[in-house]
Amino acid sequence: MSFESETTMLDPDIAAHVGTPSEMPALTPELITLLRANMVLMATTMPGAPVDHVEDFDADGVPVRLYRPLSDAPLPLLVFLHGGGWMFGNLETHDAMARHLAAASGCAVLGVGYRLAPEHKFPAGLEDCMTALEWARRSAGLLGCDPERIALGGESAGGNLTAAATLRLRDEGKAQPHFQLLIHPATDMSFSLPSFAEVGAPVLSKTYLDGCREFYLGDAEISDPFASPLRAERHDGLARAIVVTASEDPLRDDGEFYAAALVRAGVETLAQRLDGLPHGFQFLPITIPAVAAANELIGGLVRRYFAID
């Protein structure tokens, strides 16, 4: 498996948009509150694509939001877990992302408002994601979706939760999702793979990520496979995977090493590195051409794996 890249610089339109960010200081409860408010503010500037039907549900105590494109037939469903360092984000902040994903893929998307650290430490968020997936499977008819085509996906922390959920489903003897979509996932809580030394990203510094880990894991061990899926003893028996990484992301190797582990275990895996993109590119304005192109590529992969005509 090769991820060789010709581009080693941030896309110029993205660079112009983000400017020169300052180094993220060490996380504190006060800073977490400030960053949450900033994410809410940022989200208000990013309108999403129009979707025919949007509706909120209570998934056995977990808030979820359905985005369903127009269709007379039952649609495949992607249960999608947002990113945000396990501490940031909700259904509102990631509304535009879910809308763009539904529009690009043609499938229904179910956003999940899982509990966040530090108020709710590991494995509370993972438990909520498992609950939402099981609810979606039982409620496919209510959602206008095909119960035989329900996939699980997420970006960043949501990718971590997706990978952890598939491991847990396997260990509990439960059915795997139709496929798993991992967009620049965090898979090793040590945050020490080679790309951390190769890619500089002040906003996603190791100091910041170490803080996310401490607030999220609490007393749990880094080696817990449901926290660090790359460290699982086995990766066989898991859903086929789409793994998308970004060239200008310190977490790049988390996704690419995990893709390699899946391949070694015999799991059908499609791995794609997107050149010139940073971590969290889906949270950038869709008006940036490289962001729009990435969204269309991911939507196309989802459409292909769901066999949507």
Side-chain angles (χ1 to χ4, degrees):
M1 181 181 298
S2 174
F3 296 94
E4 291 304 316
S5 171
E6 296 179 0
T7 302
T8 58
M9 295 179 62
L10 196 60
D11 173 85
D13 293 323
I14 295 177
H17 177 78
V18 300
T20 305
S22 57
E23 185 83 17
M24 181 69 73
L27 283 172
T28 64
E30 294 76 18
L31 182 57
I32 291 171
T33 299
L34 181 63
L35 291 174
R36 285 175 172 172
N38 186 59
M39 177 176 277
V40 170
L41 182 62
M42 289 177 61
T44 63
T45 69
M46 294 186 292
V51 177
D52 180 65
H53 182 77
V54 179
E55 184 174 355
D56 290 348
F57 293 91
D58 182 320
D60 295 335
V62 180
V64 296
R65 180 171 295 171
L66 175 70
Y67 303 83
R68 191 181 188 282
L70 181 64
S71 175
D72 293 331
L75 287 175
L77 176 66
L78 175 64
V79 178
F80 192 74
L81 313 177
H82 67 77
W86 305 274
M87 294 187 294
F88 308 104
N90 54 41
L91 295 178
E92 298 300 332
T93 59
H94 287 69
D95 180 78
M97 185 184 297
R99 287 174 176 273
H100 289 307
L101 186 53
S105 66
C107 75
V109 172
L110 189 73
V112 179
Y114 58 86
R115 286 173 291 173
L116 302 173
E119 296 86 353
H120 305 283
K121 297 186 185 300
F122 173 84
L126 177 59
E127 296 282 357
D128 285 355
C129 296
M130 299 287 291
T131 296
L133 176 62
E134 293 302 317
W135 178 87
R137 285 172 162 172
R138 296 195 318 269
S139 306
L142 171 68
L143 303 175
C145 294
D146 180 355
E148 299 302 317
R149 290 189 293 168
I150 298 180
L152 183 64
E155 50 96 22
S156 192
N160 168 275
L161 292 167
T162 297
T166 62
L167 288 167
R168 186 161 156 181
L169 287 168
R170 181 201 63 190
D171 292 352
E172 294 178 355
K174 297 179 180 177
Q176 288 287 304
H178 193 65
F179 61 85
Q180 55 179 316
L181 171 66
L182 309 177
I183 302 173
H184 52 54
T187 63
D188 187 335
M189 285 287 186
S190 71
F191 303 124
S192 61
L193 296 178
S195 54
F196 275 91
E198 298 168 2
V199 180
V203 175
L204 204 68
S205 66
K206 190 173 187 307
T207 298
Y208 168 76
L209 288 169
D210 285 345
C212 290
R213 179 188 64 222
E214 296 305 314
F215 278 109
Y216 174 55
L217 289 187
D219 295 331
E221 296 292 332
I222 292 176
S223 58
D224 188 317
F226 300 139
S228 296
L230 184 60
R231 297 192 179 206
E233 293 182 2
R234 302 167 40 221
H235 294 96
D236 61 298
L238 302 177
R240 57 188 180 148
I242 301 169
V243 183
V244 178
T245 59
S247 68
E248 308 313 302
D249 179 7
L251 283 169
R252 184 186 66 212
D253 285 348
D254 275 55
E256 295 178 3
F257 280 38
Y258 195 68
L262 293 174
V263 170
R264 287 195 300 270
V267 176
E268 178 187 331
T269 304
L270 185 156
Q272 177 75 56
R273 179 191 291 184
L274 304 183
D275 285 344
L277 294 183
H279 191 85
F281 60 84
Q282 288 175 291
F283 205 69
L284 293 171
I286 200 74
T287 51
I288 297 175
V291 175
N295 186 69
E296 288 301 316
L297 183 146
I298 292 169
L301 291 174
V302 170
R303 179 182 291 269
R304 171 176 150 193
Y305 270 58
F306 272 139
I308 299 174
D309 296 330

